[in-house]
Amino acid sequence: MSIHRIAAIMSAVLLPWATAQAIDGPGLAAAQHIAYPAVIAHRGASFDAPESTAAAYALARELGADYLELDLQRSSDGALVALHDSNLLRTSDVAQRFPERKDRPVSAFTLAELKTLDMGTWFNQAYPARARLAYAGLQILTLDEVLDIAEANPQRVPGLYIETKAPKLFPGIEQDLHDRLKARGWLDMPGRVVLQTFDRDSLALLHSIMPQVPKTLLLWLGKGYVEPAEAQTFAESGETDRAAFLARQHPKDNAEFERWLDYAKAGGAMGVGASVALTGGGDQSYANLVQPSMIRNAHDKGLLVHAYTVDLPVDFQKVLTAGADGIFTNRSGELQRFLGRSLPQDEAPILESLGY
Ligand code: G3P
Ligand code: CA
């Protein structure tokens, strides 16, 4: 066991949520180089700055996040870019700049075209209390630019937690990812990169191309994924509160959940990313796949569990007490404070010192 990991587990002893189970940590060989509990900045520090932009990633770095999370897609001319959605409508001005292609995926645009988009103004409009003039005009980032941000402060170099998003739309993206990471020397540092995907075929490809890099299979309850007990989908239900609907869902039975843990193992994953039903609901609240028995089951199979996507102390407490080994969060600072980790400054002065 590395000194780093022993220190991380020792520090966990002091934490408010530290139950005997959590103090023990996963105790898994797979965890050797993975921060524990892992603070994974979901699309960067995306509560305080526009998701997947330089502001969000630089803020997460300065907040000491262990990993910068990004969803990887590819432009028509082969550039790897960070974007979550299947098109640019929600997080850019694509409807104004390219009205005829506004709902097309990034693969319908060259990198030069993508770079003309304003990825920040939508945030200022959606969240006026957190708006900053300097967010207007922020650009989409290439993978290389995210790596540049991660490397920019030698005192705080986070890892990258990279998802192949909708990989069937981007054949060969796993090899492209390997090539960029290798060119940048990021494959030489154990645990510095974690790969994640909802797609079992992409997991197998990632594992064949980068066998030494830790990977997680993302778990989702629904058609084509972990089979739910209830056949009716949210759309079919006629309900209006998606979070409330999803929070009531659960796997068909234990064997079904275990089947997906076995898929993760067989695909070469060292862990799973599991969805969380959030106390306050919202559009990132899903089925609860972090029940203590589920996490015990994963640990028994030698798998880590990273929970997505959790922003409030009440939910940090819940998932860590249940035994989760890390958390995807839009609020890295909030999670760092909850874990008792020291922060140089709060979010606002950091953003100001970064020029936002
Ligand atoms: O990657 C973990 C989590 O980000 C999965 O959900 O939809 O935010 O990519 P999503
Ligand atoms: Ca993701």
Side-chain angles (χ1 to χ4, degrees):
M1 183 176 287
S2 70
I3 298 284
H4 171 72
R5 183 150 180 72
I6 291 168
I9 292 172
M10 291 293 288
S11 75
V13 173
L14 303 173
L15 300 176
W17 51 266
T19 63
Q21 180 188 21
I23 291 166
D24 287 345
L28 307 172
Q32 186 74 12
H33 300 289
I34 307 295
Y36 172 80
V39 174
I40 307 161
H42 183 246
R43 310 177 203 168
S46 56
F47 178 84
D48 289 287
E51 66 186 61
S52 309
T53 65
Y57 287 123
L59 175 58
R61 179 196 67 215
E62 294 305 308
L63 289 167
D66 296 307
Y67 295 96
L68 308 182
E69 194 264 355
L70 67 140
D71 305 285
L72 199 70
Q73 304 194 41
R74 192 174 60 200
S75 69
S76 64
D77 50 349
L80 298 179
V81 296
L83 184 79
H84 174 268
D85 292 5
S86 55
N87 64 42
L88 294 141
L89 275 170
R90 181 178 61 89
T91 58
S92 84
D93 58 348
V94 70
Q96 287 78 53
R97 297 201 60 83
F98 302 101
E100 70 292 351
R101 282 183 281 158
K102 65 180 182 186
D103 53 2
R104 302 291 310 282
V106 291
S107 55
F109 298 85
T110 64
L111 179 61
E113 288 174 331
L114 293 171
K115 281 289 187 185
T116 67
L117 297 175
D118 173 352
M119 308 296 290
T121 294
W122 75 272
F123 179 93
N124 286 346
Q125 291 167 347
Y127 307 109
R130 284 170 258 153
R132 289 174 183 265
L133 284 176
Y135 290 162
L138 284 171
Q139 295 183 337
I140 199 168
L141 296 175
T142 63
L143 173 62
D144 274 285
E145 289 167 334
V146 181
L147 290 166
D148 291 342
I149 292 166
E151 292 171 348
N153 179 354
Q155 308 303 314
R156 295 177 180 276
V157 182
L160 253 57
Y161 205 123
I162 306 172
E163 178 180 350
T164 52
K165 183 60 89 183
K168 300 267 186 310
L169 286 179
F170 309 102
I173 198 167
E174 295 84 2
Q175 184 67 49
D176 294 346
L177 172 58
H178 164 272
D179 295 350
R180 287 316 308 148
L181 292 173
K182 186 168 175 54
R184 293 290 298 254
W186 273 67
L187 294 182
D188 305 330
M189 301 175 278
R192 181 55 62 78
V193 175
V194 180
L195 304 173
Q196 48 161 343
T197 183
F198 285 101
D199 185 306
R200 288 170 54 205
D201 295 332
S202 189
L203 175 65
L205 277 170
L206 290 168
H207 193 57
S208 69
I209 296 165
M210 293 174 268
Q212 78 286 12
V213 178
K215 298 160 204 81
T216 54
L217 179 64
L218 298 170
L219 301 181
W220 179 257
L221 191 77
K223 193 171 160 50
Y225 298 93
V226 180
E227 189 182 333
E230 194 176 317
Q232 196 177 49
T233 64
F234 172 61
E236 290 162 352
S237 73
E239 294 185 34
T240 51
D241 187 338
R242 179 172 177 261
F245 174 86
L246 292 176
R248 289 201 314 274
Q249 307 303 307
H250 51 88
K252 188 177 70 168
D253 51 30
N254 286 344
E256 171 63 5
F257 186 73
E258 225 173 285
R259 197 158 69 94
W260 280 81
L261 297 179
D262 291 338
Y263 287 152
K265 292 275 294 183
M270 57 90 199
V272 291
S275 61
V276 178
L278 302 174
T279 303
D283 60 4
Q284 292 183 11
S285 183
Y286 312 118
N288 182 21
L289 297 180
V290 292
Q291 292 170 33
S293 63
M294 294 171 167
I295 295 179
R296 269 197 307 276
N297 203 340
H299 285 174
D300 287 347
K301 289 178 183 290
L303 294 163
L304 302 183
V305 178
H306 290 160
Y308 70 89
T309 300
V310 182
D311 286 351
L312 295 177
V314 61
D315 293 317
F316 298 150
Q317 177 84 40
K318 192 169 72 176
V319 303
L320 291 170
T321 300
D325 306 294
I327 293 181
F328 294 84
T329 181
N330 303 304
R331 304 186 71 169
S332 310
E334 200 68 16
L335 180 51
Q336 297 282 62
R337 285 185 280 268
F338 178 82
L339 293 173
R341 296 181 185 170
S342 65
L343 291 179
Q345 296 178 94
D346 286 339
E347 287 82 343
I350 294 175
L351 281 165
E352 276 144 35
S353 68
L354 290 167
Y356 297 104

